[in-house]
Amino acid sequence: MQILDGKKTSEALKAEIRAEVDALVAAGHRAPHLAAILVGENGASITYMNNKVKSCHEVGFESSLIKYPDTITEKELLAKITELNEDPKIDGFIVQLPLPKHINEKLITESIAPEKDVDGFHPVNMGRLALGQGTLIPATPAGIIELLDRYDVPTEGRHAVVVGRSNIVGVPVSLLLEGKYKKGNCTVTVCHSKTKNLAEITRQADILVAALGIPHFITADMVKDGATVIDVGITRVADSSKKSGFAIKGDVDFEAVAPKCEFITPVPGGVGPMTIAMLMKNTLTAMKIKRG
Ligand code: NDP
């Protein structure tokens, strides 16, 4: 069994991005600039945002964190997005989800200029991905593929089972795994909450991606010997033994499942850090596309 170490791999990726940024700056260009909008006081969102800002510093990017109270109106938020869309010094920006209920997330996502949409959630970017022409690819799925690539996990002709069909993880990762890419060419089965006989399907997986958000849902009896298991889940579970008061749990019962696997990602330290590194990579890509 080999751990797919997302922490170590993301550090290597960030060092490569840093080297590219340093070379750009040395050649007289400005560093890429990522802006992020955070609405409200959601604890998990604040942690993700702080990690993103920290990563920007590590790779030599400029960053702007724009915080609003959850009383901000949709109109005010849209006005800020228009401003960022038009600002030539901003290469990419993200609006951290979830947003308060009075704000229409679909409208917000669609108002971001596709070329600055470094989360890759805009319908134009999702459509390009579906057509095999993706450039700004959602960071979590892109991070999973990067991990498979860097550990040389075979994918061609394998049966990949993805549990979860969200627009930010399940759907894009299934498109990438089935696409004609170096780390694609899988035969993909996508499962969701209405899937019948789920364990029967997951047991057929050479590559199993768990992206449902239910801690330790994937148990050892659902995994075949020698499988590669990618655990996307991040759930905060109350834990009084931790200083923070919570522990982070994945969707896979790691202790029981890992001994059966050829490769497996841990939580934390697997897909999570790769997501942030790929967001940095998308920002650099957005800048390069703009510069032509
Ligand atoms: P969503 O809640 O949007 O989607 C969950 C999916 O799981 C849905 O498609 C749902 O099916 C399916 N599902 C729910 N229950 C079951 C079940 N019992 N059996 C089979 N399928 C089920 O979640 P996200 O995709 O946004 O996130 C999934 C997890 O990944 C979360 O823990 C999230 O925190 C984490 N995450 C981690 C990231 C990282 O960087 N590591 C980034 C993004 C997310 P249906 O469609 O039928 O409702």
Side-chain angles (χ1 to χ4, degrees):
M1 184 271 293
Q2 187 173 4
I3 300 276
L4 299 176
D5 187 337
K7 192 162 185 300
K8 204 173 91 187
T9 309
S10 67
E11 294 303 331
L13 179 56
K14 282 191 283 187
E16 290 163 20
I17 296 171
R18 173 90 214 196
E20 212 173 323
V21 172
D22 287 348
L24 274 172
V25 172
H29 301 289
R30 63 170 179 79
H33 190 157
L34 174 67
I37 300 179
L38 176 63
V39 179
E41 295 291 332
N42 179 310
S45 294
I46 292 169
T47 306
Y48 294 146
M49 276 302 191
N50 289 338
N51 287 338
K52 287 168 189 174
V53 170
K54 189 169 151 257
S55 287
C56 280
H57 291 303
E58 285 170 7
V59 299
F61 287 5
E62 301 272 331
S63 69
S64 303
L65 179 55
I66 304 150
K67 290 185 187 173
Y68 291 113
D70 57 14
T71 48
I72 188 175
T73 64
E74 192 175 87
K75 197 170 158 206
E76 286 166 326
L77 189 53
L78 285 169
K80 186 67 194 177
I81 289 172
T82 303
E83 190 188 311
L84 294 174
N85 281 341
E86 290 169 0
D87 185 341
K89 289 204 180 71
I90 300 290
D91 299 295
F93 66 99
I94 57 173
V95 180
Q96 185 69 42
L97 304 178
L99 290 167
K101 285 199 172 57
H102 66 277
I103 296 177
N104 182 338
E105 281 187 4
K106 184 171 167 285
L107 183 69
I108 296 300
T109 302
E110 291 180 6
S111 67
I112 298 172
E115 66 276 15
K116 293 195 179 187
D117 167 42
V118 285
D119 261 337
F121 298 159
H122 191 285
V124 166
N125 286 320
M126 290 294 283
R128 285 189 184 137
L129 174 60
L131 294 171
Q133 303 161 4
T135 45
L136 297 176
I137 294 166
T140 303
I144 292 170
I145 300 297
E146 189 76 22
L147 259 185
L148 296 174
D149 190 22
R150 297 214 176 204
Y151 280 86
D152 210 14
V153 178
T155 58
E156 190 172 311
R158 305 288 160 121
H159 185 191
V161 174
V162 178
V163 187
R165 57 175 165 182
S166 73
N167 289 338
I168 63 168
V169 188
V171 168
V173 81
S174 64
L175 289 169
L176 289 169
L177 286 167
E178 77 173 13
K180 291 180 190 169
Y181 308 111
K182 183 177 157 213
K183 284 295 151 192
N185 288 311
C186 291
T187 302
V188 180
T189 304
V190 180
C191 303
H192 44 74
S193 68
K194 306 289 186 279
T195 298
K196 292 202 165 62
N197 305 322
L198 181 70
E200 239 170 64
I201 300 168
T202 59
R203 273 197 290 273
Q204 294 169 32
D206 301 310
I207 298 170
L208 177 61
V209 181
L212 61 157
I214 305 178
H216 292 192
F217 181 90
I218 302 291
T219 47
D221 59 311
M222 298 170 81
V223 178
K224 116 171 152 187
D225 284 326
T228 292
V229 173
I230 307 292
D231 189 352
V232 184
I234 298 180
T235 306
R236 288 181 168 201
V237 178
D239 184 341
S240 56
S241 72
K242 304 269 180 198
K243 208 170 117 200
S244 60
F246 63 83
I248 300 289
K249 299 275 183 214
D251 288 347
V252 176
D253 181 357
F254 183 89
E255 296 300 323
V257 170
K260 298 185 82 174
C261 297
E262 187 173 5
F263 299 98
I264 186 166
T265 62
V267 174
V271 176
M274 289 304 294
T275 296
I276 297 188
M278 294 311 285
L279 176 67
M280 302 298 124
K281 195 170 176 194
N282 271 351
T283 306
L284 184 57
T285 301
M287 185 198 206
K288 285 194 218 163
I289 293 172
K290 193 167 72 178
R291 284 184 46 216

PDB file of all heavy atoms in Angstrom, residues 66-97:
ATOM      1  N   ILE A  66     -11.143  39.973   0.074  1.00  0.00           N
ATOM      2  CA  ILE A  66     -12.208  40.973   0.209  1.00  0.00           C
ATOM      3  C   ILE A  66     -13.312  40.357   1.058  1.00  0.00           C
ATOM      4  O   ILE A  66     -13.941  39.373   0.638  1.00  0.00           O
ATOM      5  CB  ILE A  66     -12.743  41.366  -1.188  1.00  0.00           C
ATOM      6  CG1 ILE A  66     -11.575  41.870  -2.061  1.00  0.00           C
ATOM      7  CG2 ILE A  66     -13.845  42.408  -1.088  1.00  0.00           C
ATOM      8  CD1 ILE A  66     -11.744  41.611  -3.527  1.00  0.00           C
ATOM      9  N   LYS A  67     -13.498  40.895   2.264  1.00  0.00           N
ATOM     10  CA  LYS A  67     -14.471  40.300   3.186  1.00  0.00           C
ATOM     11  C   LYS A  67     -15.721  41.170   3.285  1.00  0.00           C
ATOM     12  O   LYS A  67     -15.615  42.394   3.368  1.00  0.00           O
ATOM     13  CB  LYS A  67     -13.861  40.202   4.591  1.00  0.00           C
ATOM     14  CG  LYS A  67     -12.772  39.174   4.721  1.00  0.00           C
ATOM     15  CD  LYS A  67     -12.377  39.116   6.191  1.00  0.00           C
ATOM     16  CE  LYS A  67     -11.179  38.245   6.401  1.00  0.00           C
ATOM     17  NZ  LYS A  67     -10.680  38.292   7.761  1.00  0.00           N
ATOM     18  N   TYR A  68     -16.878  40.500   3.293  1.00  0.00           N
ATOM     19  CA  TYR A  68     -18.145  41.206   3.473  1.00  0.00           C
ATOM     20  C   TYR A  68     -18.955  40.530   4.576  1.00  0.00           C
ATOM     21  O   TYR A  68     -18.882  39.308   4.727  1.00  0.00           O
ATOM     22  CB  TYR A  68     -18.979  41.171   2.180  1.00  0.00           C
ATOM     23  CG  TYR A  68     -18.405  41.995   1.053  1.00  0.00           C
ATOM     24  CD1 TYR A  68     -17.929  41.384  -0.098  1.00  0.00           C
ATOM     25  CD2 TYR A  68     -18.363  43.384   1.139  1.00  0.00           C
ATOM     26  CE1 TYR A  68     -17.403  42.139  -1.145  1.00  0.00           C
ATOM     27  CE2 TYR A  68     -17.844  44.139   0.096  1.00  0.00           C
ATOM     28  CZ  TYR A  68     -17.371  43.517  -1.038  1.00  0.00           C
ATOM     29  OH  TYR A  68     -16.848  44.259  -2.058  1.00  0.00           O
ATOM     30  N   PRO A  69     -19.767  41.305   5.296  1.00  0.00           N
ATOM     31  CA  PRO A  69     -20.687  40.670   6.251  1.00  0.00           C
ATOM     32  C   PRO A  69     -21.793  39.948   5.487  1.00  0.00           C
ATOM     33  O   PRO A  69     -22.018  40.254   4.305  1.00  0.00           O
ATOM     34  CB  PRO A  69     -21.262  41.863   7.038  1.00  0.00           C
ATOM     35  CG  PRO A  69     -21.122  43.022   6.122  1.00  0.00           C
ATOM     36  CD  PRO A  69     -19.911  42.764   5.263  1.00  0.00           C
ATOM     37  N   ASP A  70     -22.481  39.008   6.145  1.00  0.00           N
ATOM     38  CA  ASP A  70     -23.507  38.259   5.386  1.00  0.00           C
ATOM     39  C   ASP A  70     -24.769  39.073   5.115  1.00  0.00           C
ATOM     40  O   ASP A  70     -25.722  38.576   4.517  1.00  0.00           O
ATOM     41  CB  ASP A  70     -23.824  36.901   6.029  1.00  0.00           C
ATOM     42  CG  ASP A  70     -24.283  37.040   7.446  1.00  0.00           C
ATOM     43  OD1 ASP A  70     -24.603  38.180   7.853  1.00  0.00           O
ATOM     44  OD2 ASP A  70     -24.322  36.022   8.159  1.00  0.00           O
ATOM     45  N   THR A  71     -24.724  40.363   5.484  1.00  0.00           N
ATOM     46  CA  THR A  71     -25.837  41.271   5.155  1.00  0.00           C
ATOM     47  C   THR A  71     -25.639  41.917   3.771  1.00  0.00           C
ATOM     48  O   THR A  71     -26.519  42.631   3.293  1.00  0.00           O
ATOM     49  CB  THR A  71     -25.941  42.396   6.211  1.00  0.00           C
ATOM     50  OG1 THR A  71     -24.630  42.927   6.408  1.00  0.00           O
ATOM     51  CG2 THR A  71     -26.498  41.868   7.522  1.00  0.00           C
ATOM     52  N   ILE A  72     -24.519  41.657   3.130  1.00  0.00           N
ATOM     53  CA  ILE A  72     -24.287  42.266   1.805  1.00  0.00           C
ATOM     54  C   ILE A  72     -25.416  41.841   0.847  1.00  0.00           C
ATOM     55  O   ILE A  72     -25.895  40.703   0.894  1.00  0.00           O
ATOM     56  CB  ILE A  72     -22.898  41.863   1.220  1.00  0.00           C
ATOM     57  CG1 ILE A  72     -22.615  42.665  -0.067  1.00  0.00           C
ATOM     58  CG2 ILE A  72     -22.808  40.366   0.984  1.00  0.00           C
ATOM     59  CD1 ILE A  72     -21.244  42.436  -0.656  1.00  0.00           C
ATOM     60  N   THR A  73     -25.844  42.776  -0.004  1.00  0.00           N
ATOM     61  CA  THR A  73     -26.911  42.431  -0.944  1.00  0.00           C
ATOM     62  C   THR A  73     -26.296  41.785  -2.198  1.00  0.00           C
ATOM     63  O   THR A  73     -25.098  41.954  -2.473  1.00  0.00           O
ATOM     64  CB  THR A  73     -27.692  43.687  -1.392  1.00  0.00           C
ATOM     65  OG1 THR A  73     -26.784  44.542  -2.106  1.00  0.00           O
ATOM     66  CG2 THR A  73     -28.288  44.427  -0.205  1.00  0.00           C
ATOM     67  N   GLU A  74     -27.152  41.099  -2.929  1.00  0.00           N
ATOM     68  CA  GLU A  74     -26.709  40.460  -4.174  1.00  0.00           C
ATOM     69  C   GLU A  74     -26.179  41.523  -5.145  1.00  0.00           C
ATOM     70  O   GLU A  74     -25.161  41.325  -5.811  1.00  0.00           O
ATOM     71  CB  GLU A  74     -27.907  39.721  -4.768  1.00  0.00           C
ATOM     72  CG  GLU A  74     -27.565  38.785  -5.880  1.00  0.00           C
ATOM     73  CD  GLU A  74     -28.795  38.021  -6.315  1.00  0.00           C
ATOM     74  OE1 GLU A  74     -29.532  38.544  -7.181  1.00  0.00           O
ATOM     75  OE2 GLU A  74     -29.037  36.934  -5.766  1.00  0.00           O
ATOM     76  N   LYS A  75     -26.881  42.668  -5.165  1.00  0.00           N
ATOM     77  CA  LYS A  75     -26.500  43.745  -6.090  1.00  0.00           C
ATOM     78  C   LYS A  75     -25.092  44.264  -5.762  1.00  0.00           C
ATOM     79  O   LYS A  75     -24.269  44.489  -6.661  1.00  0.00           O
ATOM     80  CB  LYS A  75     -27.543  44.867  -5.963  1.00  0.00           C
ATOM     81  CG  LYS A  75     -27.536  45.832  -7.092  1.00  0.00           C
ATOM     82  CD  LYS A  75     -28.728  46.763  -7.051  1.00  0.00           C
ATOM     83  CE  LYS A  75     -28.382  47.999  -7.846  1.00  0.00           C
ATOM     84  NZ  LYS A  75     -29.109  49.173  -7.425  1.00  0.00           N
ATOM     85  N   GLU A  76     -24.823  44.425  -4.455  1.00  0.00           N
ATOM     86  CA  GLU A  76     -23.491  44.920  -4.052  1.00  0.00           C
ATOM     87  C   GLU A  76     -22.403  43.912  -4.429  1.00  0.00           C
ATOM     88  O   GLU A  76     -21.334  44.280  -4.915  1.00  0.00           O
ATOM     89  CB  GLU A  76     -23.468  45.162  -2.534  1.00  0.00           C
ATOM     90  CG  GLU A  76     -24.233  46.407  -2.106  1.00  0.00           C
ATOM     91  CD  GLU A  76     -24.488  46.456  -0.602  1.00  0.00           C
ATOM     92  OE1 GLU A  76     -24.700  45.399   0.039  1.00  0.00           O
ATOM     93  OE2 GLU A  76     -24.503  47.566  -0.060  1.00  0.00           O
ATOM     94  N   LEU A  77     -22.714  42.643  -4.227  1.00  0.00           N
ATOM     95  CA  LEU A  77     -21.731  41.610  -4.560  1.00  0.00           C
ATOM     96  C   LEU A  77     -21.479  41.572  -6.071  1.00  0.00           C
ATOM     97  O   LEU A  77     -20.322  41.493  -6.522  1.00  0.00           O
ATOM     98  CB  LEU A  77     -22.247  40.251  -4.044  1.00  0.00           C
ATOM     99  CG  LEU A  77     -21.264  39.073  -4.104  1.00  0.00           C
ATOM    100  CD1 LEU A  77     -19.942  39.397  -3.426  1.00  0.00           C
ATOM    101  CD2 LEU A  77     -21.895  37.836  -3.459  1.00  0.00           C
ATOM    102  N   LEU A  78     -22.556  41.691  -6.837  1.00  0.00           N
ATOM    103  CA  LEU A  78     -22.418  41.698  -8.304  1.00  0.00           C
ATOM    104  C   LEU A  78     -21.582  42.893  -8.774  1.00  0.00           C
ATOM    105  O   LEU A  78     -20.769  42.771  -9.699  1.00  0.00           O
ATOM    106  CB  LEU A  78     -23.800  41.727  -8.974  1.00  0.00           C
ATOM    107  CG  LEU A  78     -24.563  40.398  -8.939  1.00  0.00           C
ATOM    108  CD1 LEU A  78     -26.010  40.600  -9.369  1.00  0.00           C
ATOM    109  CD2 LEU A  78     -23.886  39.355  -9.824  1.00  0.00           C
ATOM    110  N   ALA A  79     -21.758  44.043  -8.087  1.00  0.00           N
ATOM    111  CA  ALA A  79     -20.993  45.247  -8.467  1.00  0.00           C
ATOM    112  C   ALA A  79     -19.498  44.997  -8.232  1.00  0.00           C
ATOM    113  O   ALA A  79     -18.654  45.385  -9.051  1.00  0.00           O
ATOM    114  CB  ALA A  79     -21.474  46.445  -7.651  1.00  0.00           C
ATOM    115  N   LYS A  80     -19.180  44.321  -7.135  1.00  0.00           N
ATOM    116  CA  LYS A  80     -17.757  44.031  -6.845  1.00  0.00           C
ATOM    117  C   LYS A  80     -17.187  43.075  -7.890  1.00  0.00           C
ATOM    118  O   LYS A  80     -16.045  43.235  -8.352  1.00  0.00           O
ATOM    119  CB  LYS A  80     -17.618  43.412  -5.437  1.00  0.00           C
ATOM    120  CG  LYS A  80     -16.185  43.229  -5.007  1.00  0.00           C
ATOM    121  CD  LYS A  80     -15.499  44.582  -4.806  1.00  0.00           C
ATOM    122  CE  LYS A  80     -14.003  44.474  -4.712  1.00  0.00           C
ATOM    123  NZ  LYS A  80     -13.353  45.790  -4.581  1.00  0.00           N
ATOM    124  N   ILE A  81     -18.011  42.094  -8.277  1.00  0.00           N
ATOM    125  CA  ILE A  81     -17.545  41.124  -9.282  1.00  0.00           C
ATOM    126  C   ILE A  81     -17.272  41.832 -10.612  1.00  0.00           C
ATOM    127  O   ILE A  81     -16.250  41.575 -11.271  1.00  0.00           O
ATOM    128  CB  ILE A  81     -18.572  39.978  -9.421  1.00  0.00           C
ATOM    129  CG1 ILE A  81     -18.523  39.114  -8.151  1.00  0.00           C
ATOM    130  CG2 ILE A  81     -18.303  39.125 -10.657  1.00  0.00           C
ATOM    131  CD1 ILE A  81     -19.601  38.069  -8.037  1.00  0.00           C
ATOM    132  N   THR A  82     -18.153  42.751 -10.990  1.00  0.00           N
ATOM    133  CA  THR A  82     -17.936  43.514 -12.228  1.00  0.00           C
ATOM    134  C   THR A  82     -16.610  44.274 -12.152  1.00  0.00           C
ATOM    135  O   THR A  82     -15.827  44.303 -13.107  1.00  0.00           O
ATOM    136  CB  THR A  82     -19.110  44.500 -12.458  1.00  0.00           C
ATOM    137  OG1 THR A  82     -20.309  43.744 -12.479  1.00  0.00           O
ATOM    138  CG2 THR A  82     -18.965  45.272 -13.750  1.00  0.00           C
ATOM    139  N   GLU A  83     -16.377  44.871 -10.973  1.00  0.00           N
ATOM    140  CA  GLU A  83     -15.128  45.630 -10.784  1.00  0.00           C
ATOM    141  C   GLU A  83     -13.906  44.703 -10.964  1.00  0.00           C
ATOM    142  O   GLU A  83     -12.953  45.060 -11.663  1.00  0.00           O
ATOM    143  CB  GLU A  83     -15.154  46.212  -9.363  1.00  0.00           C
ATOM    144  CG  GLU A  83     -14.072  47.216  -9.070  1.00  0.00           C
ATOM    145  CD  GLU A  83     -14.087  47.561  -7.579  1.00  0.00           C
ATOM    146  OE1 GLU A  83     -15.167  47.872  -7.018  1.00  0.00           O
ATOM    147  OE2 GLU A  83     -12.996  47.489  -6.966  1.00  0.00           O
ATOM    148  N   LEU A  84     -13.960  43.511 -10.361  1.00  0.00           N
ATOM    149  CA  LEU A  84     -12.831  42.578 -10.480  1.00  0.00           C
ATOM    150  C   LEU A  84     -12.693  42.065 -11.917  1.00  0.00           C
ATOM    151  O   LEU A  84     -11.577  41.899 -12.424  1.00  0.00           O
ATOM    152  CB  LEU A  84     -12.999  41.401  -9.516  1.00  0.00           C
ATOM    153  CG  LEU A  84     -12.927  41.732  -8.021  1.00  0.00           C
ATOM    154  CD1 LEU A  84     -13.266  40.505  -7.176  1.00  0.00           C
ATOM    155  CD2 LEU A  84     -11.558  42.269  -7.623  1.00  0.00           C
ATOM    156  N   ASN A  85     -13.830  41.825 -12.580  1.00  0.00           N
ATOM    157  CA  ASN A  85     -13.792  41.382 -13.985  1.00  0.00           C
ATOM    158  C   ASN A  85     -13.041  42.397 -14.855  1.00  0.00           C
ATOM    159  O   ASN A  85     -12.342  42.033 -15.800  1.00  0.00           O
ATOM    160  CB  ASN A  85     -15.220  41.243 -14.541  1.00  0.00           C
ATOM    161  CG  ASN A  85     -15.899  39.953 -14.106  1.00  0.00           C
ATOM    162  OD1 ASN A  85     -15.245  39.003 -13.693  1.00  0.00           O
ATOM    163  ND2 ASN A  85     -17.222  39.926 -14.189  1.00  0.00           N
ATOM    164  N   GLU A  86     -13.227  43.689 -14.525  1.00  0.00           N
ATOM    165  CA  GLU A  86     -12.675  44.747 -15.371  1.00  0.00           C
ATOM    166  C   GLU A  86     -11.285  45.206 -14.948  1.00  0.00           C
ATOM    167  O   GLU A  86     -10.639  45.968 -15.662  1.00  0.00           O
ATOM    168  CB  GLU A  86     -13.645  45.945 -15.369  1.00  0.00           C
ATOM    169  CG  GLU A  86     -14.923  45.617 -16.138  1.00  0.00           C
ATOM    170  CD  GLU A  86     -16.019  46.651 -15.943  1.00  0.00           C
ATOM    171  OE1 GLU A  86     -15.783  47.635 -15.199  1.00  0.00           O
ATOM    172  OE2 GLU A  86     -17.093  46.471 -16.528  1.00  0.00           O
ATOM    173  N   ASP A  87     -10.822  44.749 -13.791  1.00  0.00           N
ATOM    174  CA  ASP A  87      -9.534  45.217 -13.265  1.00  0.00           C
ATOM    175  C   ASP A  87      -8.377  44.468 -13.953  1.00  0.00           C
ATOM    176  O   ASP A  87      -8.193  43.271 -13.745  1.00  0.00           O
ATOM    177  CB  ASP A  87      -9.501  44.971 -11.744  1.00  0.00           C
ATOM    178  CG  ASP A  87      -8.255  45.545 -11.095  1.00  0.00           C
ATOM    179  OD1 ASP A  87      -7.263  45.797 -11.820  1.00  0.00           O
ATOM    180  OD2 ASP A  87      -8.255  45.732  -9.874  1.00  0.00           O
ATOM    181  N   PRO A  88      -7.581  45.174 -14.755  1.00  0.00           N
ATOM    182  CA  PRO A  88      -6.525  44.471 -15.502  1.00  0.00           C
ATOM    183  C   PRO A  88      -5.436  43.875 -14.606  1.00  0.00           C
ATOM    184  O   PRO A  88      -4.676  43.008 -15.043  1.00  0.00           O
ATOM    185  CB  PRO A  88      -5.943  45.569 -16.405  1.00  0.00           C
ATOM    186  CG  PRO A  88      -6.338  46.858 -15.775  1.00  0.00           C
ATOM    187  CD  PRO A  88      -7.605  46.617 -15.022  1.00  0.00           C
ATOM    188  N   LYS A  89      -5.371  44.344 -13.354  1.00  0.00           N
ATOM    189  CA  LYS A  89      -4.308  43.826 -12.462  1.00  0.00           C
ATOM    190  C   LYS A  89      -4.726  42.535 -11.756  1.00  0.00           C
ATOM    191  O   LYS A  89      -3.935  41.912 -11.065  1.00  0.00           O
ATOM    192  CB  LYS A  89      -3.963  44.880 -11.420  1.00  0.00           C
ATOM    193  CG  LYS A  89      -3.229  46.069 -12.009  1.00  0.00           C
ATOM    194  CD  LYS A  89      -2.414  46.745 -10.898  1.00  0.00           C
ATOM    195  CE  LYS A  89      -1.664  47.938 -11.423  1.00  0.00           C
ATOM    196  NZ  LYS A  89      -2.580  49.054 -11.737  1.00  0.00           N
ATOM    197  N   ILE A  90      -6.004  42.157 -11.892  1.00  0.00           N
ATOM    198  CA  ILE A  90      -6.482  40.910 -11.272  1.00  0.00           C
ATOM    199  C   ILE A  90      -6.502  39.814 -12.339  1.00  0.00           C
ATOM    200  O   ILE A  90      -7.203  39.940 -13.344  1.00  0.00           O
ATOM    201  CB  ILE A  90      -7.908  41.092 -10.674  1.00  0.00           C
ATOM    202  CG1 ILE A  90      -7.935  42.182  -9.605  1.00  0.00           C
ATOM    203  CG2 ILE A  90      -8.464  39.772 -10.135  1.00  0.00           C
ATOM    204  CD1 ILE A  90      -7.223  41.839  -8.313  1.00  0.00           C
ATOM    205  N   ASP A  91      -5.733  38.730 -12.111  1.00  0.00           N
ATOM    206  CA  ASP A  91      -5.676  37.649 -13.112  1.00  0.00           C
ATOM    207  C   ASP A  91      -6.789  36.635 -12.918  1.00  0.00           C
ATOM    208  O   ASP A  91      -7.260  36.028 -13.872  1.00  0.00           O
ATOM    209  CB  ASP A  91      -4.317  36.950 -13.024  1.00  0.00           C
ATOM    210  CG  ASP A  91      -3.209  37.936 -13.311  1.00  0.00           C
ATOM    211  OD1 ASP A  91      -3.166  38.425 -14.450  1.00  0.00           O
ATOM    212  OD2 ASP A  91      -2.431  38.252 -12.395  1.00  0.00           O
ATOM    213  N   GLY A  92      -7.153  36.434 -11.656  1.00  0.00           N
ATOM    214  CA  GLY A  92      -8.221  35.478 -11.372  1.00  0.00           C
ATOM    215  C   GLY A  92      -8.820  35.795 -10.024  1.00  0.00           C
ATOM    216  O   GLY A  92      -8.167  36.431  -9.194  1.00  0.00           O
ATOM    217  N   PHE A  93     -10.078  35.372  -9.832  1.00  0.00           N
ATOM    218  CA  PHE A  93     -10.664  35.549  -8.500  1.00  0.00           C
ATOM    219  C   PHE A  93     -11.703  34.474  -8.231  1.00  0.00           C
ATOM    220  O   PHE A  93     -12.202  33.810  -9.145  1.00  0.00           O
ATOM    221  CB  PHE A  93     -11.241  36.957  -8.292  1.00  0.00           C
ATOM    222  CG  PHE A  93     -12.418  37.324  -9.136  1.00  0.00           C
ATOM    223  CD1 PHE A  93     -13.702  37.235  -8.629  1.00  0.00           C
ATOM    224  CD2 PHE A  93     -12.249  37.783 -10.432  1.00  0.00           C
ATOM    225  CE1 PHE A  93     -14.800  37.596  -9.393  1.00  0.00           C
ATOM    226  CE2 PHE A  93     -13.339  38.133 -11.210  1.00  0.00           C
ATOM    227  CZ  PHE A  93     -14.616  38.047 -10.695  1.00  0.00           C
ATOM    228  N   ILE A  94     -11.960  34.299  -6.945  1.00  0.00           N
ATOM    229  CA  ILE A  94     -12.941  33.294  -6.532  1.00  0.00           C
ATOM    230  C   ILE A  94     -13.917  33.931  -5.549  1.00  0.00           C
ATOM    231  O   ILE A  94     -13.577  34.880  -4.853  1.00  0.00           O
ATOM    232  CB  ILE A  94     -12.255  32.083  -5.856  1.00  0.00           C
ATOM    233  CG1 ILE A  94     -11.402  32.530  -4.650  1.00  0.00           C
ATOM    234  CG2 ILE A  94     -11.365  31.334  -6.825  1.00  0.00           C
ATOM    235  CD1 ILE A  94     -10.838  31.397  -3.847  1.00  0.00           C
ATOM    236  N   VAL A  95     -15.116  33.394  -5.555  1.00  0.00           N
ATOM    237  CA  VAL A  95     -16.105  33.771  -4.542  1.00  0.00           C
ATOM    238  C   VAL A  95     -16.322  32.505  -3.715  1.00  0.00           C
ATOM    239  O   VAL A  95     -16.777  31.485  -4.246  1.00  0.00           O
ATOM    240  CB  VAL A  95     -17.432  34.239  -5.178  1.00  0.00           C
ATOM    241  CG1 VAL A  95     -18.438  34.618  -4.095  1.00  0.00           C
ATOM    242  CG2 VAL A  95     -17.186  35.407  -6.126  1.00  0.00           C
ATOM    243  N   GLN A  96     -15.922  32.540  -2.453  1.00  0.00           N
ATOM    244  CA  GLN A  96     -16.014  31.337  -1.629  1.00  0.00           C
ATOM    245  C   GLN A  96     -17.474  30.939  -1.413  1.00  0.00           C
ATOM    246  O   GLN A  96     -18.292  31.762  -0.998  1.00  0.00           O
ATOM    247  CB  GLN A  96     -15.326  31.591  -0.273  1.00  0.00           C
ATOM    248  CG  GLN A  96     -15.246  30.379   0.634  1.00  0.00           C
ATOM    249  CD  GLN A  96     -14.304  29.292   0.133  1.00  0.00           C
ATOM    250  OE1 GLN A  96     -13.207  29.573  -0.354  1.00  0.00           O
ATOM    251  NE2 GLN A  96     -14.721  28.046   0.243  1.00  0.00           N
ATOM    252  N   LEU A  97     -17.770  29.678  -1.698  1.00  0.00           N
ATOM    253  CA  LEU A  97     -19.112  29.137  -1.459  1.00  0.00           C
ATOM    254  C   LEU A  97     -19.089  28.340  -0.154  1.00  0.00           C
ATOM    255  O   LEU A  97     -18.029  27.862   0.235  1.00  0.00           O
ATOM    256  CB  LEU A  97     -19.530  28.235  -2.625  1.00  0.00           C
ATOM    257  CG  LEU A  97     -19.503  28.872  -4.028  1.00  0.00           C
ATOM    258  CD1 LEU A  97     -19.899  27.851  -5.071  1.00  0.00           C
ATOM    259  CD2 LEU A  97     -20.422  30.095  -4.096  1.00  0.00           C
TER     260      LEU A  97
END
